[in-house]
């Protein structure tokens, strides 16, 4: 492998490890502080016990939470009498979900207590709850929590909702819950016992204004400057993370073209910008004394590499870019395929049958 390719690969590994700031960090920090306070004393009765962080795939939910939680000194693991203490415990939820599956996965994968996969629900959940206390878990973060709605039996959602509430209000050992997932997860708040106890932080998609070429639109001062925000992300990746220079192309409708190419998705915008950096580094002659400059064409090449479209249909080149398909550079994942979900309303109790009796 050529030395230049290896060098660019190493440099891109470093660039991709960097975190891009958004406007949500402060909001999340304030909500986590409210949840911490609710562990110490009553804050508006039962409020601030559960936090929902909702957004589309690759909108930045997980990265946002990792940065806030994993860097917080209060959540660092430690040992006490040779036993691991986990102030923060995190796991992903898998479908199909059930209270038993949640407990077994939590015991096996998160808390380090191997149990049999066929453990009964009536044994698994109390064991999970007790081990949270033993590990002194204060915050429990369930990622991909929309899978809590993907159940084989609608009654399972009712059981899960009640069990989660039981964790946050248990007198012997209370925990605080963070549930992150797709927007559909908000349906879990339809249960009053959860809705009344929860905060919600939406991680929105990026909306393109009617006139994206107007970099100083007449707007309410409270509304963010769309173009300035997107340009700020590009500059942070290119100039701060990669240490390169940008050609003068960020004005006009470029921010809107970038957002259109990436399907209004934050994570995809960051990935395509990083890909453009990689294209520029590979294009640049490493023997040259001239600095490497990222061009608009580098974004076009990065977009072509991801989408496979010809230049005539390239969002960064075509004059009719608004008419081209939205989001061909959007990161795809399993979340983009809809999974069947159960009605979150509690199902009616079914009367037990007598011996020999059949259901009508």
């Amino acid at each position: 492998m050529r030395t230049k390719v290896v060098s660019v690969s190493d440099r891109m590994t470093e660039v991709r490890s960097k975190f891009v700031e958004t406007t949500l960090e402060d909001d999340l920090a304030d909500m986590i502080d409210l949840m911490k306070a609710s562990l110490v004393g009553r804050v508006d009765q039962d409020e601030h016990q559960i936090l929902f962080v909702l957004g589309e795939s690759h909108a930045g939910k997980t990265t946002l939470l990792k940065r806030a939680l994993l860097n917080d000194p209060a959540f660092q693991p430690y040992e006490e009498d040779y036993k691991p203490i986990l102030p923060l415990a995190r796991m992903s939820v898998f479908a199909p979900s059930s209270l038993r599956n949640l407990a077994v996965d939590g015991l096996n994968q998160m808390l380090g207590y191997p149990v049999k996969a066929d453990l009964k629900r009536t044994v698994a959940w109390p064991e999970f709850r007790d081990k949270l206390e033993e590990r002194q878990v204060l915050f429990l973060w369930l990622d991909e929590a929309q899978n809590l709605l993907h159940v084989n039996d609608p009654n399972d959602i009712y059981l899960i909702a009640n069990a989660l509430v039981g964790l946050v209000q248990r007198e012997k050992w209370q925990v605080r819950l963070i549930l992150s997932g797709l927007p559909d997860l908000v349906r879990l708040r339809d249960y009053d016992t959860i809705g009344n106890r929860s905060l919600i932080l939406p991680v929105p998609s990026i909306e393109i204004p009617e006139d994206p070429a107007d970099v100083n639109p007449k707007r309410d001062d409270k509304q963010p400057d769309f173009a300035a925000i997107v340009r700020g992300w590009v500059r942070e990746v290119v100039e701060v993370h990669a240490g390169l220079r940008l050609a003068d192309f960020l004005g006009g409708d470029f921010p809107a073209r970038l957002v259109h190419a990436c399907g209004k998705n934050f994570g995809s915008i960051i990935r395509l910008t990083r890909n453009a950096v990689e294209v520029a580094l590979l294009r640049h002659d490493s023997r040259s004394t001239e600095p490497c400059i990222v061009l608009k064409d580098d974004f076009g090449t990065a977009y072509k590499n991801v989408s496979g479209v010809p230049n005539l249909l390239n969002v960064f080149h075509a004059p009719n870019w608004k008419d081209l398909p939205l989001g061909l550079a959007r990161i795809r994942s399993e979340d983009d395929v809809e999974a069947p979900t159960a009605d979150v309303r509690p199902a009616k109790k079914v009367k037990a049958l007598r011996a020999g009796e059949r259901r009508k």
Side-chain angles (χ1 to χ4, degrees):
M1 187 178 295
R2 291 181 299 167
T3 303
K4 179 179 180 179
V5 173
V6 174
S7 175
V8 170
S9 177
D10 290 343
R11 190 163 179 180
M12 288 309 303
T13 297
E14 182 180 355
V15 170
R16 291 186 173 107
S17 70
K18 304 293 186 180
F19 180 82
V20 177
E21 298 285 348
T22 71
T23 58
L24 296 174
E25 282 79 16
D26 290 342
D27 291 339
L28 177 59
D30 290 343
M31 291 181 177
I32 291 175
D33 284 344
L34 287 173
M35 297 174 74
K36 288 179 179 178
S38 72
L39 280 170
V40 179
R42 292 282 182 176
V43 180
D44 294 334
Q45 296 182 344
D46 294 327
E47 293 182 359
H48 312 152
Q49 295 176 334
I50 303 172
L51 170 61
F52 285 79
V53 180
L54 307 176
E56 298 292 345
S57 297
H58 307 290
K61 305 180 299 293
T62 301
T63 302
L64 180 69
L65 283 164
K66 279 183 177 179
R67 183 173 171 85
L69 298 173
L70 302 186
N71 293 328
D72 190 330
F75 294 133
Q76 300 308 306
Y78 61 96
E79 285 192 359
E80 188 175 89
D81 296 331
Y82 303 102
K83 292 182 180 180
I85 304 300
L86 305 174
L88 169 69
R90 173 200 170 198
M91 65 176 284
S92 293
V93 179
F94 299 98
S97 182
S98 69
L99 191 59
R100 189 200 69 82
N101 290 351
L102 190 62
V104 170
D105 288 345
L107 287 164
N108 280 332
Q109 301 174 24
M110 181 175 64
L111 299 178
Y113 289 97
V115 295
K116 294 181 179 179
D118 59 354
L119 201 65
K120 291 184 178 180
R121 184 194 76 217
T122 52
V123 176
W125 186 256
E127 181 76 3
F128 175 66
R129 186 183 58 203
D130 291 343
K131 295 307 181 185
L132 288 175
E133 178 183 355
E134 186 173 316
R135 290 285 190 252
Q136 297 183 36
V137 173
L138 299 176
F139 274 59
L140 174 60
W141 171 17
L142 301 181
D143 200 10
E144 303 295 340
Q146 73 278 352
N147 286 326
L148 293 173
L149 303 175
H150 300 165
V151 296
N152 293 325
D153 183 348
N155 275 317
D156 283 340
I157 296 182
Y158 182 68
L159 292 172
I160 289 170
N162 280 346
L164 294 179
V165 171
L167 290 180
V168 302
Q169 63 178 176
R170 188 185 183 206
E171 289 191 9
K172 188 178 180 183
W173 185 265
Q174 292 188 5
V175 300
R176 293 296 173 256
L177 287 175
I178 297 177
L179 306 176
S180 58
L182 299 179
D184 193 46
L185 174 61
V186 74
R187 294 166 58 204
L188 196 61
R189 297 184 81 233
D190 289 347
Y191 287 90
D192 291 340
T193 52
I194 288 184
N196 294 336
R197 289 176 167 82
S198 61
L199 302 162
I200 183 167
L201 179 65
V203 181
S205 297
I206 304 149
E207 294 303 323
I208 303 174
E210 292 184 6
D211 186 5
D214 186 358
V215 296
N216 290 303
K218 293 181 180 179
R219 64 185 190 282
D220 188 326
D221 288 339
K222 295 181 180 178
Q223 296 299 317
D225 184 331
F226 160 84
I229 290 173
V230 176
R231 288 196 302 265
W233 293 338
V234 173
R235 287 195 177 104
E236 185 171 354
V237 172
V238 175
E239 298 176 345
V240 179
H241 296 175
L244 304 183
R245 289 172 54 185
L246 274 162
D248 185 15
F249 62 86
L250 293 187
D253 62 5
F254 175 82
R257 288 176 182 258
L258 177 58
V259 172
H260 185 93
C262 297
K264 306 179 182 181
N265 182 264
F266 171 74
S268 301
I269 291 171
I270 302 306
R271 183 187 71 159
L272 191 63
T273 303
R274 289 168 174 165
N275 288 356
V277 167
E278 187 171 27
V279 169
L281 287 171
L282 290 171
R283 170 181 54 76
H284 183 253
D285 186 349
S286 57
R287 296 167 297 181
S288 172
T289 58
E290 295 296 321
C292 180
I293 299 176
V294 177
L295 310 174
K296 182 179 179 181
D297 283 349
D298 295 326
F299 278 84
T301 300
Y303 178 74
K304 181 181 68 174
N305 292 343
V306 172
S307 65
V309 300
N311 283 338
L312 287 175
L313 301 177
N314 193 308
V315 167
F316 295 98
H317 301 309
N320 63 329
W321 63 271
K322 293 182 183 178
D323 300 326
L324 299 179
L326 177 74
L328 292 186
R330 189 180 188 276
I331 302 172
R332 305 294 173 184
S333 70
E334 294 179 0
D335 294 334
D336 296 323
V337 180
E338 278 193 32
T341 60
D343 191 335
V344 299
R345 293 171 297 181
K348 294 181 179 179
K349 292 185 178 180
V350 180
K351 183 179 179 182
L353 297 178
R354 298 176 180 175
E357 186 179 5
R358 292 186 177 182
R359 188 81 62 201
K360 293 182 179 180

